[in-house]
């Protein structure tokens, strides 16, 4: 298989994260996490629009809200807020707060979050200052409109990638500090995950060589795409047997997340980071074509 990796124009984000394909606008939304910025890549225009969220320094994820074309749920520190943005303006405003977690953990922040296929919020936290491997103060949460926030999992170091598979009734989850991808049995009617099982291990012989799994997406055949923060690679993995089907290589090291998009949902969009003085082209957002795979669009959050 010959795939092609190409940069999107003017797509830099110091800590790019949370890619979400929106069918309605044919756009890829993502964040520059430590800058409090939202970005939108317009497929038709082949152009990236950027906005600063007024008064915010962090933006961990961006989830379009169902029925409200210009409103997004965004993780700012430990709050999930509704941000209003027309997709073009250089400044966006916080409209209201949906909920807040871990008020007692001032050194924590939101990290990755997604919407399950039924419109529920799933997202997790991590230690923002200090050693996340030592201080496992993060938690994974679930929230549904009109309800309270509930804890899905505690004892989390860096809450990261999430994906669901309705055909196999599975939920997949990454805690980066565990160096692995776990599968759960998932009840789509109740939103309950159970029976965790390790399906992909990224540990190497020496701890200093362990790969750090970050973001995650899934294709329509049920294969996972696992981004590695220190590996310059996305692994395409069969979660039923742990087999690596493909290694997608990038010209930069810190690969943070991925999402399928494009008119045919056959383009893999990939975010990266430029942390710890990584050289160019670190922080560039890429498109990968020629994978002969299709994925799912992002699901709107019911809020």
């Amino acid at each position: 298989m010959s795939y092609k990796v190409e940069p999107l124009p003017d797509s830099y984000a110091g800590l790019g994260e949370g890619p979400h394909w929106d069918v309605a606008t044919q756009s890829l939304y993502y964040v520059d996490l430590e800058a409090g910025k939202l970005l939108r890549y317009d497929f038709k225009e082949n152009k990236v629009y950027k906005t600063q969220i007024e008064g915010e320094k962090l933006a961990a994820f961006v989830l379009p809200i169902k029925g409200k074309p210009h409103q997004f749920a965004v993780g700012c520190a430990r709050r999930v807020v509704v941000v209003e943005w027309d997709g073009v303006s250089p400044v966006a405003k916080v409209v209201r707060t949906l909920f807040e977690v871990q008020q007692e953990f001032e050194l924590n922040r939101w990290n990755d979050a997604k919407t399950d296929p039924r419109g529920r919020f799933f997202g997790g936290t991590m230690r923002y200052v200090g050693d996340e491997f030592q201080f496992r103060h993060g938690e994974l949460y679930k929230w549904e409109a009109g309800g309270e926030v509930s804890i899905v999992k505690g004892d989390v170091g860096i809450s990261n990638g999430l994906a669901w598979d309705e055909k196999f009734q599975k939920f997949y989850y990454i805690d980066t500090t565990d160096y692995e991808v776990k599968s759960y049995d998932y009840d789509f009617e109740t939103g309950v995950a159970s029976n965790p099982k390790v399906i992909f291990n990224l540990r190497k012989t020496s701890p200093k060589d362990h790969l750090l799994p970050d973001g995650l997406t899934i294709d329509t055949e049920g294969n996972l795409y696992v981004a590695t923060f220190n590996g310059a690679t996305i692994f395409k993995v069969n979660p039923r047997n742990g087999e690596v089907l493909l290694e997608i290589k990038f010209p930069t090291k810190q690969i943070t997340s991925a999402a399928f998009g494009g008119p045919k949902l056959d383009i893999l969009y990939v975010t990266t980071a430029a942390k710890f003085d990584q050289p160019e082209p670190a922080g560039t957002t890429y498109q990968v074509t020629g994978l002969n795979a299709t994925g799912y669009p992002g699901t709107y959050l019911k809020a």
Side-chain angles (χ1 to χ4, degrees):
M1 178 190 296
S2 62
Y3 61 83
K4 190 175 183 182
V5 175
E6 300 169 286
L8 298 183
D10 189 29
S11 60
Y12 176 86
L15 181 47
E17 269 286 5
H20 179 110
W21 180 259
D22 180 44
V23 171
T25 59
Q26 289 292 290
S27 296
L28 180 80
Y29 289 93
Y30 60 107
V31 301
D32 189 346
L33 200 157
E34 294 178 338
K37 291 181 179 179
L38 308 182
L39 300 91
R40 179 179 73 88
Y41 168 68
D42 188 299
F43 180 86
K44 192 174 179 181
E45 295 181 31
N46 191 33
K47 179 179 178 179
V48 175
Y49 293 90
K50 304 178 183 183
T51 192
Q52 178 71 53
I53 304 173
E54 205 171 64
E56 300 295 341
K57 295 177 181 177
L58 298 168
F61 52 81
V62 53
L63 303 172
I65 294 175
K66 187 175 179 65
K68 297 181 179 176
H70 299 311
Q71 292 197 355
F72 305 85
V74 180
C76 296
R78 293 171 308 285
R79 292 169 296 129
V80 175
V81 301
V82 174
V83 171
E84 196 155 273
W85 184 38
D86 61 8
V88 177
S89 303
V91 177
K93 290 188 184 325
V94 174
V95 178
R96 62 191 170 101
T97 297
L98 286 176
F99 56 90
E100 185 173 1
V101 297
Q102 295 191 311
Q103 295 182 30
E104 72 280 16
F105 284 103
E106 293 184 2
L107 301 181
N108 277 20
R109 66 160 171 80
W110 283 109
N111 202 40
D112 209 351
K114 279 186 184 173
T115 309
D116 86 347
R118 298 290 192 272
R120 302 179 185 95
F121 171 93
F122 273 75
T125 55
M126 61 175 279
R127 176 103 170 186
Y128 183 45
V129 179
D131 188 342
E132 309 96 328
F133 289 81
Q134 179 185 355
F135 298 102
R136 295 174 64 90
H137 292 167
E139 291 176 325
L140 175 65
Y141 300 93
K142 176 178 73 174
W143 176 82
E144 294 184 61
E148 297 296 317
V149 187
S150 61
I151 298 173
V152 176
K153 185 183 187 304
D155 186 35
V156 172
I158 301 174
S159 191
N160 240 320
L162 313 112
W164 289 264
D165 189 326
E166 291 197 75
K167 180 181 175 185
F168 291 99
Q169 299 285 295
K170 295 292 184 184
F171 163 58
Y172 299 102
Y173 177 62
I174 290 172
D175 175 349
T176 299
T177 60
D178 287 341
Y179 310 107
E180 60 198 21
V181 182
K182 288 188 176 79
S183 77
Y184 291 75
D185 295 332
Y186 190 73
D187 187 324
F188 283 83
E189 299 313 310
T190 62
V192 174
S194 58
N195 302 323
K197 175 185 171 188
V198 176
I199 52 102
F200 187 48
N201 185 351
L202 290 95
R203 292 177 183 83
K204 302 297 180 185
T205 310
S206 168
K208 67 179 174 55
D209 297 324
H210 289 348
L211 289 176
L212 299 171
D214 199 324
L216 181 68
T217 195
I218 190 168
D219 67 22
T220 54
E221 294 181 351
N223 298 308
L224 302 179
Y225 296 74
V226 182
T228 56
F229 187 75
N230 59 344
T233 304
I234 285 181
F235 292 94
K236 179 181 179 179
V237 179
N238 178 344
R240 288 164 291 287
N241 59 15
E243 180 187 357
V244 175
L245 304 174
L246 180 67
E247 294 186 17
I248 307 169
K249 298 293 185 181
F250 294 85
T252 186
K253 185 177 181 181
Q254 298 171 346
I255 313 304
T256 56
S257 195
F260 279 96
K264 298 178 181 176
L265 296 172
D266 60 353
I267 301 170
L268 188 68
Y269 291 103
V270 178
T271 52
T272 72
K275 296 271 288 176
F276 317 120
D277 301 319
Q278 284 289 304
E280 290 185 4
T284 299
T285 306
Y286 293 93
Q287 63 172 25
V288 186
T289 52
L291 289 171
N292 195 29
T294 54
Y296 301 99
T299 306
Y300 293 104
L301 177 68
K302 292 179 180 176

